[in-house]
Structures are given as C-alpha cells and as structure tokens.
Amino acid sequence: MKNSPVQSHVLRLAHPPIPTVHIGIIGLGNRGLLTLQRYLQIEGVEIKALCEIREGNLSKAQQLLKEADRSEATGYTGVEGWKKMCESDEVDLIFICTDWLMHTPMATFAMECNKHVAIEVPAAMSVEECWQLVDTAEKTRRHCIMLENCCYDPFALMTLNMAQRGLFGEIMHVEGAYIHDLRSMYFAEESEGGYHNHWGKRYSIEHTGNPYPTHGLGPACQILDIHRSDRMEYLVSMSTHQAGMSEYARRLFGEYSPEAHQKYQLGDVNTTLIHTLKGKTIMLQYDISTPRPYSRLQTVCGTLGFAQKYPVPCIALDPNGDTPLEGELLEKMMARYKHPFNATIGEEAHRRGLPNEMNYVMDYRLIHCLRNGLPLDMDVYDAAEWSCITELSEKSVLNKSMAVEIPDFTRGAWKKYKY
C-alpha cells in the first residue's frame, strides 16, 4: 500500500450545490463532439469553454452551439491550450475527451486548478497514474469521475437492483468484457472514423494485457460493492498471441505491405481473473481483433440465481434452478426490477427520442448530483481501481500469468467508512 499523504479520504465527497454547471471540454474528436451534443440536452448546463488542437474540430463544436441557440464558447487551441482553460474562472467542470495517455495529466492539473473533473475511459494507464488521481483528489477535495457509461446500462442497473434485493442470493462470480471488432477503425484515417494519429493502434504495438477493462469491470464492481464492503485483492491474466490485426491488414493492404508485417504486443484475446478479499471472482475479457459479435457479457452468478445480458438477456432464479425465464415471464421480471434511474431518467430519454439511454442517465446523474450538492455515483477510487487493471494485467501476462496484487486505493478507509 502506498504511504498515505497528510490528507483524508474522499469517500462520499459532496460539495455545495452548483445551480448551473459551467463546463469546459478538452478534445473535440469523435467522442468530444458527441459529448458536447449530449450536454446540450441536459438542463442546468452551460458550455463555457472548448479546447482542441485541430481548429476545424473547434469550428464544428462552435457550430453545434450556434445551431442549438447557445452562446459561443471561449475557444482554446495549441498544444497547451487546455492548461489555460483549466486556469480560467469561467468553468466548474472539465471534461477530458482526449487520447488515453493524456487523461491523468489533464485531470490532475484541472483538479489543482480547483476544477471538478470528468474523464473518458480509462482514467489512467498505470498504477502510478491511478495514485496521482487519488492523491490529487484527496488533496484538492475535487470530484474526479470516470465516465463509465456501461454502469448505467439498463440490464446492468436492473441486475444491480435485483442483487441489492437479494434475488441472486450471495453473489459468487461476475463476468464482464469488451468484445468489439475494431480492426476497421484501427486502420482507418481520422476523416473516415479512425483514431487521431492512430494512437489506439500505436498502443497495441507497444503493450499487451487488457488496456480497456472498465466497460466490463464497472458494472461487476458495483454488484460486488467494491471498496464499499469488499475489495479486489489480486489478479492473474493471460493473452493469446496476435494474429487478427495482421490478417486484416493482409486482406486490406496486401500480403507484402508494411501494415501486414507490423508487429503487435497486444494479443487478440485477453482473459483476466480477479479475486476479491471476500473470496468472490471476476472474469474480464478483451477482444477487438476477431469477428466475434459485440458483447460485454454482464454475467452474475449467485447462490439463488443467474443473469447474463449477451447474446440475449437470460435470467434464472431458484426454485426453477437452471431453467431460464423466457418470453412474457422474462419481460415481466425485467419490468418489475427496472432500476429507478431507468424508470425515470431513462424513460425521459425515450420520450425525447434520445439515441443512447445509458449515456443520458449517466449525464443526467452527474449534473443532478452537482446541482444538488450530492456525492457522485462513481468516485475517484472507482476510477483508480478499474483503470489499474490495464498495467496489472500486462504485468501478469508478461510474467506467465503470475498473480499480481491490486492496491487498496482507499488505504483501508473503506473498512471504516459506512455507506
């Protein structure tokens, strides 16, 4: 455990209400522009500042504000324009929508400037960066939330509601994943939907393990009450060798092309197993290089029941044993245990014709909590715990699936603090 600085934990951190949340967004690529569009739909928000190194994207963002009859935001450009934004007094909350490697440096600087921070996933790329986020949040007493929208997936929230009501009995094992064939994006130019400067592909060339664990891990940790009544203790991780990217490049560019002969450290499929202090297990998978259908698994195994979202929703509860509910019975069960967030905020998203329910619930909840002085649904310890799997899984893979300890980023505070 890292030595504790002279500061206290930020479990259940709350601040005075912010009636209108003034937002600045760093990074206006694909995700940043979508974030801007989403927050134009949220009440109690003003977009005050925008930062982007590509002036064309900054112009696109300003046009979106104009089309929504909103005032033009202060624009920041240049390599360090984001620092000037963070130092500005006109924003309360900084959104970070850049490539992975800039998330932690930007978040820590923003918190040092007394700004609350929302970070796209993952929040950090190393254990050291996770500690930087925790230490800075504790020192500055600022909110630091990772925008893990899959925690607001309707099925994930429904199973969380069922778990909290005891329908699954004692939950013993959960599974999550990010299975999504991204090969076309990795080889596409930015104008065609690819990553800016191919940063995702570059990371795959240099690293192995599971670089994107949080979509699967977030809902799993919430069901297991991680750092609320349990904590992740250690993991083991194993990867296949790489073949999918090379095969795709051969078909796209030719057998003798440089792309087809590029070497990658990242294996096609990674499987990571996590053991908790209370003896529960989590299985995570990562696969962006094979033609498997999209899946996040979202599996819950308890002494009294089972649930899994993919490939189709499945729920089985005692006394029926392994016979899953089907048809009308399944629909009634899912309607009966719909989480209050989805029954209210989610239904509003449907009435308004918004395209992504879980994004809207996440956005609404973040702003609602800030406007009402409430603790956020996810805290800096969630961001650190879920993100640290990136480095730790790589470390295990490189050492023949050696068991690797997972830090307690609360430094034991979770055992003393009652939620």
Side-chain angles (χ1 to χ4, degrees), residues 209-210 237-240 267-272 284-286 393 397:
N210 183 341
S237 188
M238 182 179 294
S239 291
T240 70
D268 283 359
V269 181
N270 173 270
T271 301
T272 298
L284 293 180
Q285 281 204 326
Y286 177 79
S393 63
V397 169

Side-chain angles (χ1 to χ4, degrees), residues 173-176 296-301 306-310:
H173 175 77
V174 290
E175 297 177 3
R296 298 195 304 273
L297 293 179
Q298 292 186 217
T299 304
V300 182
C301 302
F306 168 87
Q308 182 169 286
K309 180 175 180 179
Y310 296 91

